[in-house]
Amino acid sequence: MEPDRKQLVQLLPLLPVLSELGRTEHITGTAEVLGVPQSTVSRAIARASAVVGTELLVRDGRGVRLTPAARTLLPYIENALEEFRAGLDVVRNESDVARGRIAVSFQHTFGEGTLPLLISAFRSRHPGAAFTLSQGARNACLEELASGESDLALTAPAAPAGRHLESAPLYREPLRLVVHHAHRLAGRPTADLADIRTEPFVALGAGYGLRSLTDALFKEAGYRPRIAFESQDSHTVRGLVSAGLGVSILPPGGDAPGRTVSPETGNLGWVEVPLSSALAVREVGLSWRRAKAGAEPASVRLFREMVVTEGPRLLAGLVRHRTEH
């Protein structure tokens, strides 16, 4: 072993003693703080002086004082201990995340891209993180959050911030009119709600975020739609529209298979048409319960912080891809 490395190995166990002695300049006080006998502190100083090759402590009346050599070493000792403490915090944090389980409630429409992308980004940093996922209507997601069944809720719109809840927006995306590929509006650059006043409408059930948004759109247009079907899943809604059984209003479907029409599909297929209404947009956000400092599990806090601070950037490409196709 090289002499310098051997000296480091001999000195490392003595660093906490030297650090505390630098603060107290008192052998008895150092021993009490560290919970060791005074003789242990005295021997540690003697060993450290021998390894360094110069005295680190000298008697001064009834007390002791650090030598210039010891005072020169102290800042380096403190820096080394601080770096080690920081490393321990990282390791403990990682351990907490690995042991913790993050419960997320989310609406069905976020299961294909939004939530998987966020979880993937988090797991790349914390491979041991575990998730419990629950999907359903917006109201059900927020009820699970309020009851404590879930730690976080991904909904559109997010729950308004209040006494017990906090929220953060992640992105906005347009709502579009979805029609059969042979529908009279399929080739239009835009459409108005008035254009589908007499059309059968395929809606999501009450309690779903999209239902509340479409209800607001029809209220603005001044009429109630003629609901032909209610579904609990946007995929089923697109399927019904693809079969020509009605029209609907949904967020962009990206390059989903339903947009590709072929003889084998039995004439199934759908087309999205931009809506002219300023209300035809939804804001996606994350909600969580307010908690006292230190009460939130580390795993939940770290995931929440990543989603809130980095989520908009992480999801920007996905949103752009879905909107442009």
Side-chain angles (χ1 to χ4, degrees):
M1 183 179 290
E2 298 176 2
D4 288 347
R5 186 172 179 81
K6 184 176 181 180
Q7 289 178 343
L8 286 176
V9 171
Q10 293 173 328
L11 281 172
L12 284 176
L14 310 177
L15 295 187
V17 176
L18 295 174
S19 174
E20 189 58 34
L21 194 61
R23 189 182 68 83
T24 64
E25 295 201 28
H26 198 281
I27 291 178
T28 302
T30 297
E32 289 177 353
V33 170
L34 297 178
V36 297
Q38 294 183 38
S39 59
T40 299
V41 175
S42 298
R43 286 197 299 271
I45 297 302
R47 287 201 304 273
S49 297
V51 173
V52 173
T54 186
E55 291 295 328
L56 299 177
L57 198 68
V58 295
R59 294 285 177 182
D60 187 5
R62 291 187 175 183
V64 294
R65 61 180 173 83
L66 300 178
T67 64
R71 294 192 180 280
T72 299
L73 280 176
L74 268 179
Y76 296 96
I77 293 172
E78 292 296 340
N79 286 340
L81 291 174
E82 188 59 36
E83 288 292 324
F84 185 64
R85 291 188 194 101
L88 279 177
D89 287 342
V90 170
V91 170
R92 286 167 177 163
N93 219 6
E94 293 282 354
S95 179
D96 287 342
V97 172
R99 288 195 300 268
R101 182 169 290 274
I102 306 163
V104 183
S105 295
F106 64 99
Q107 290 173 221
H108 295 280
T109 50
F110 305 129
E112 286 189 357
T114 301
L115 184 59
L117 193 153
L118 294 172
I119 291 177
S120 177
F122 189 71
R123 289 283 295 271
S124 69
R125 307 171 193 183
H126 306 285
F131 286 82
T132 298
L133 305 180
S134 174
Q135 59 182 337
R138 177 179 181 272
N139 286 1
C141 292
L142 296 179
E143 287 171 4
E144 289 184 355
L145 177 64
S147 69
E149 291 179 63
S150 65
D151 302 305
L152 305 161
L154 184 65
T155 62
R163 182 179 178 184
H164 300 293
L165 287 178
E166 293 189 61
S167 297
L170 298 179
Y171 63 89
R172 290 164 63 89
E173 64 181 355
L175 297 179
R176 290 176 171 166
L177 177 65
V178 185
V179 300
H180 185 264
H181 70 92
H183 191 277
R184 59 185 175 83
L185 298 175
R188 292 273 195 93
T190 61
D192 296 322
L193 269 294
D195 295 327
I196 59 169
R197 189 182 189 101
T198 61
E199 300 273 355
F201 189 75
V202 185
L204 283 167
Y208 285 79
L210 278 172
R211 177 61 178 267
S212 63
L213 293 173
T214 55
D215 285 351
L217 280 167
F218 287 115
K219 184 177 181 179
E220 180 198 38
Y223 72 92
R224 292 183 178 180
R226 182 163 61 90
I227 296 178
F229 299 94
E230 281 190 341
S231 174
Q232 298 179 350
D233 183 271
S234 61
H235 297 293
T236 302
V237 171
R238 287 187 192 276
L240 293 168
V241 171
S242 294
L245 298 173
V247 301
S248 190
I249 296 174
L250 295 171
D255 51 359
R259 300 186 67 170
T260 303
V261 181
S262 68
E264 290 80 12
T265 67
N267 204 35
L268 294 175
W270 48 264
V271 172
E272 292 177 356
V273 183
L275 284 166
S276 57
S277 172
L279 294 182
V281 65
R282 72 170 182 171
E283 186 172 80
V284 179
L286 188 75
S287 301
W288 63 94
R289 295 185 304 280
R290 292 184 184 274
K292 294 181 180 179
E296 189 177 35
S299 54
V300 175
R301 176 180 58 79
L302 289 173
F303 182 65
R304 172 179 58 78
E305 289 175 349
M306 187 211 74
V307 172
V308 170
T309 59
E310 302 178 42
R313 177 184 59 80
L314 290 170
L315 296 168
L318 176 66
V319 175
R320 185 168 55 252
H321 175 78
R322 284 164 52 88
T323 303
E324 292 175 352
H325 281 73

